[in-house]
Amino acid sequence: MTSQDKTITPLRVASLASQVHDALAEMLLSGELRPDDRIPMRELAERLGVSVMPVRDAVARLVAQQALVVLPNRAVAVPLLTRGQFRDLTEVRVHNETHAAALAARHATPAQVAALRQADAAFAQALGAPDAKPSVRANKELHFLLYEAAGSAVLVEVIRALWLKAGPIINLDLEQDTRRRRTAVSRALHGQLVQAVEARDAQAAADAVEADIRSAAEFILSRDILPA
């Protein structure tokens, strides 16, 4: 084997592990992995169509980010935050995501504003689905279109790390009756957000995002699903 061959193989392995990491992160962000899930690493590899090695490497990165834990039986699980940890995380999210919303209102391009309008319409349509998964995905898409419009790659990276921890909790499947009440609030706040960005009103955009984050957090806390 030549020295060039020795370089190519680990790069391919690293690339696959990175792809698996991104796939697992997307599952966390979109609510496909929940705090009550316990998935053997081999089963996770089969679901992703890869060997166990890149899954092990990707999981190790997410464990370091405190987004996953590995149980003694080698199963992968999403950690369940305490109520205090969730409140702390909510405050940090508010600080960063309102800043991103204000920046987006100032700097979003016409194309980004149009994409936000489309994402808002997709979210409204997803609310009619029989389960929460389509609206959860649409909600995530809308928020990250907003944050990417802020024009700060570092800020988006920080927010994504926070969502890796918060997403599985705030995306827990809701009972149908309570879900209708929550999504109606989210729909109204998303509409206010898009209008604020279109109007270049940084404060109104920040206020809409803060209200959205806090209303979701208050709802989760009211359901008494987090340990003390």
Side-chain angles (χ1 to χ4, degrees):
M1 180 180 291
T2 68
S3 59
Q4 185 178 8
D5 291 334
K6 291 179 181 179
T7 302
I8 291 172
T9 301
L11 281 175
R12 287 176 177 167
V13 172
S15 177
L16 183 57
S18 179
Q19 292 177 44
V20 172
H21 173 274
D22 291 346
L24 291 175
E26 183 62 26
M27 292 170 72
L28 288 163
L29 294 171
S30 298
E32 293 182 46
L33 290 178
R34 300 156 45 105
D36 52 357
D37 287 342
R38 301 289 187 273
I39 307 175
M41 209 168 297
R42 187 168 297 280
E43 178 183 329
L44 198 54
E46 291 172 358
R47 285 172 59 177
L48 294 171
V50 297
S51 66
V52 173
M53 183 181 295
V55 171
R56 188 181 296 118
D57 292 344
V59 166
R61 285 178 60 188
L62 289 163
V63 168
Q65 293 173 281
Q66 300 180 340
L68 289 176
V69 294
V70 177
L71 305 176
N73 63 356
R74 307 304 295 170
V76 177
V78 179
L80 184 61
L81 301 179
T82 67
R83 293 173 69 86
Q85 289 171 330
F86 183 67
R87 287 193 182 98
D88 186 26
L89 181 59
T90 297
E91 293 304 317
V92 179
R93 285 188 60 211
V94 166
H95 177 76
N96 286 280
E97 292 175 47
T98 55
H99 180 49
L103 289 175
R106 297 188 184 104
H107 303 304
T109 66
Q112 288 171 325
V113 173
L116 277 174
R117 284 198 301 266
Q118 292 175 356
D120 185 37
F123 177 74
Q125 183 177 10
L127 296 182
D131 64 73
K133 290 179 181 177
S135 58
V136 164
R137 287 193 295 269
N139 176 70
K140 191 271 295 184
E141 292 298 325
L142 186 150
H143 275 268
F144 276 91
L145 281 171
L146 174 75
Y147 303 145
E148 287 161 7
S152 171
V154 173
L155 185 55
V156 171
E157 183 179 351
V158 169
I159 291 172
R160 185 175 294 275
L162 296 172
W163 270 60
L164 287 176
K165 298 178 184 179
I169 295 174
I170 61 177
N171 292 335
L172 282 172
D173 232 4
L174 308 179
E175 294 83 6
Q176 191 62 31
D177 58 338
T178 55
R179 180 176 163 244
R180 278 196 295 267
R181 293 200 299 270
R182 266 296 306 141
T183 53
V185 173
S186 293
R187 177 70 185 90
L189 291 171
H190 286 175
Q192 293 172 23
L193 170 62
V194 174
Q195 289 176 5
V197 174
E198 288 179 316
R200 302 298 183 186
D201 189 334
Q203 187 59 57
D207 290 346
V209 166
E210 179 171 3
D212 194 30
I213 294 171
R214 291 197 184 282
S215 64
E218 289 167 6
F219 182 72
I220 290 296
L221 290 169
S222 75
R223 295 185 67 213
D224 199 27
I225 59 176
L226 303 181

